Each structure stands twice: as C-alpha cells, then as structure tokens.
Amino acid sequence: MGSTKKGIIYVLFAAVLWGSSGVCAQYIMQESQIAAQFLTMIRLLFSGFILLTLSLIHGDKIFAILKTRKDIISLLLFSLVGALTVQLTFLVAIEKSNAATATILQFLSPSIIVAWFAAVRKKRPGALVFLAIFTSLSGTFLLVTHGNPTSLSISPAALFWGIASAFAAAFYTTYPSDLIARFGTLPVVGWSMLLGGAMLLPFYAGNDVEFMVNGGLLLAFFYLVVIGTALTFSMYLKGAQMIGGPRASILSCAEPLSSALLSLLLLGVTFTLPDWLGTLLILSSVVLISLDSRRKVRTH
C-alpha cells in the first residue's frame, strides 16, 4: 500500500475515533453524573502524561521548552487559552446539548481562522473563502434554528459554549506553530494538556467530588483518554504528514459525521433534516477552505 493511501486511512480512522470520543464523553457525563469541568481536568492530566511519555519514547527532548522564560510564558498561554479552554468549552457544549452538535459547532473554527487572518492582514479573501464563510454561517443558522429565526432548536447555553469551542479551537490551531516548529508537536501538546489539567486542580483540591463509577464507565474513560486522545492524535499526525494538511482537513470532516451517527445509534440522539443540512453546510465550508489552501500551494 502506498504512503498516500496509508495516510488517508490513518486520517480517516483518526477522525472517526475523534468523533467517537465525543460520544464517549457524553456517555460518561450522563451515566456517572460527573461535571464537564472535572472530566476536563482528568482527561487533560492523563492525556498529557501519556503524550509526554510517547514523546520520550520517540526520543524528543521534552524539557527543552522549559529553559527560557519566553517559551514558558508562551506554553502557559497555550495551555490556558488553548488546551484547557478548547477541551472545557467542548465538554460543556456536550453537557448542554450532545456530542454531535458540539462537534459540528466546533467545526466553525476554520472559517473563524480565515476571517481573522483576512481582517488582520487587511486582505480581501478569495471567492472560495467567501463562499466557505457563507456556508458555515448558513449551516449554523439551520442547526440552531431549524430555519425559524424566532426560535432556537438548542439551548442558548449550548450555542454559547459551542461557538466558544470553535473560537478556542481556532486559537489552538494557529497559536502554537512557532513552539511546535522548534520543539515538536508531541512535547508541546503533551505539556499543554498536563499544565491545562493542573490549572483546574486548585478548584478541586480538598473537595469531595461525587460521581458514580463502575466497570463500564472505567472502560469508557480508558477509551476516551487512551484511544480517543493519545492514539488518535498520533495517527492523525502521521497521516497528515503523508498526505498534507489541506487534504487531511477535508478527511477530518468524518469526525462530526461519525459523532452524529454514533449519537444516533448509541445514545438515541435524533437528528432532523435541518440538522443534517446544517451539518453538511458547515462541513462544506471546511472543504472549500481546504481547496483554497491547495490552490494557493499550487500557484506559489
């Protein structure tokens, strides 16, 4: 099998697993009555430890990023506004709605990124980007109103946390590029998750947190942390290196689709026609932005 086909399989499989991890998080919160904030802390601490361990096995110098004050400040900012915020807003959005809706709303982040860079650079975006922004806004409108602007099909809290998750994901995607270029992806992401989880520890230190635990929930948590975070992240990185970022972005659209289907099959979440149309419009914006990126690469 060629490297391109392998890369496609890696990215697709990672996207499906990511979609399933959101469904898994919804199941854990529903069955154990655990708060999204506490689950965020535990997920980040365990995931960060696993990724840093993988980084050490890979031969990375994981402490190099902690040698200068400037790098430490950048890492702390990324940990707080990136890793912690993106995970917390996403899990709260799931808590307020469901995994599928939260995942779809988070996919507004590519449109937020291109709109932000166009504004900062004072450069008019191309036709494909304009179309992508229009389709993402149209999809969001359909998803949250079902076509009726006088009513919401999801709660205001779910909409707020879903949009916040998209903005956090936009920051998470763009901010650490310099750190990753110098220190590697696994060390930067591993430290950001570990530190992000540690930032929540003071809120729970000495407090009794009550939630249900059984074998099924422990298995679900293992899946969320090990399969849905560490393994999936490693597979996506490997696949993206083989096929390139724009193509990987298109294939990652399998994530919200898998989340929607699994929510339907496993959790009984119902999706109406406007929900599916809104989902497809938001995903089409990701495809359009990726196509625009590929076109720019060819012309330079």
Side-chain angles (χ1 to χ4, degrees):
M1 187 185 294
S3 62
T4 300
K5 286 185 178 179
K6 277 186 180 179
I8 290 171
I9 290 171
Y10 283 145
V11 171
L12 271 177
F13 200 55
V16 171
L17 289 177
W18 259 324
S20 68
S21 71
V23 177
C24 185
Q26 182 180 341
Y27 169 78
I28 291 171
M29 287 187 285
Q30 285 180 352
E31 297 300 316
S32 69
Q33 303 303 309
I34 192 172
Q37 295 85 342
F38 189 75
L39 182 58
T40 299
M41 180 185 73
I42 299 299
R43 182 184 189 183
L44 284 172
L45 288 172
F46 276 92
S47 299
F49 177 78
I50 290 169
L51 288 176
L52 285 176
T53 303
L54 289 174
S55 184
L56 270 176
I57 294 170
H58 189 256
D60 296 321
K61 297 177 181 178
I62 64 170
F63 296 105
I65 196 173
L66 304 177
K67 288 184 177 179
T68 68
R69 183 182 176 185
K70 181 183 176 183
D71 289 335
I72 291 172
I73 292 172
S74 295
L75 178 61
L76 287 172
L77 180 62
F78 178 53
S79 302
L80 174 62
V81 187
L84 173 56
T85 305
V86 77
Q87 292 288 344
L88 180 61
T89 53
F90 179 62
L91 289 181
V92 174
I94 292 175
E95 190 177 58
K96 301 297 182 183
S97 56
N98 56 69
T101 300
T103 306
I104 293 158
L105 288 174
Q106 195 178 68
F107 261 67
L108 291 170
S109 60
S111 294
I112 292 170
I113 291 169
V114 294
W116 168 257
F117 277 115
V120 169
R121 295 169 181 172
K122 296 179 180 178
K123 185 179 179 181
R124 184 181 175 186
L128 284 176
V129 172
F130 264 124
L131 185 58
I133 294 171
F134 175 75
T135 56
S136 66
L137 292 175
S138 301
T140 305
F141 173 77
L142 268 179
L143 191 67
V144 303
T145 68
H146 285 181
N148 182 0
T150 62
S151 65
L152 290 176
S153 59
I154 62 175
S155 71
L159 178 60
F160 171 80
W161 289 106
I163 298 296
S165 176
F167 274 94
F171 178 86
Y172 185 86
T173 304
T174 55
Y175 179 78
S177 55
D178 177 60
L179 288 174
I180 288 173
R182 290 187 293 127
F183 301 107
T185 305
L186 284 179
V188 172
V189 176
W191 276 116
S192 70
M193 286 185 170
L194 191 66
L195 293 171
M199 289 174 184
L200 287 177
L201 277 172
F203 297 97
Y204 293 98
N207 296 330
D208 291 329
V209 180
E210 294 185 2
F211 52 88
M212 290 179 60
V213 178
N214 56 42
L217 286 169
L218 288 174
L219 188 62
F221 181 75
F222 174 84
Y223 182 89
L224 178 67
V225 172
V226 179
I227 308 296
T229 304
L231 175 64
T232 305
F233 183 78
S234 302
M235 287 183 65
Y236 182 83
L237 281 179
K238 190 170 183 179
Q241 287 173 347
M242 292 178 176
I243 63 175
R247 192 182 291 181
S249 296
I250 294 173
L251 293 173
S252 69
C253 289
E255 178 187 350
L257 292 176
S258 72
S259 182
L261 290 172
L262 288 170
S263 294
L264 178 69
L265 294 171
L266 301 178
L267 300 176
V269 175
T270 55
F271 254 42
T272 63
L273 181 60
D275 290 324
W276 286 113
L277 289 175
T279 299
L280 292 175
L281 281 169
I282 291 172
L283 296 187
S284 69
S285 71
V286 180
V287 175
L288 288 168
I289 290 168
S290 300
L291 291 174
D292 182 69
S293 299
R294 291 180 69 181
R295 181 182 60 79
K296 286 178 180 176
V297 168
R298 289 196 200 102
T299 55
H300 283 78

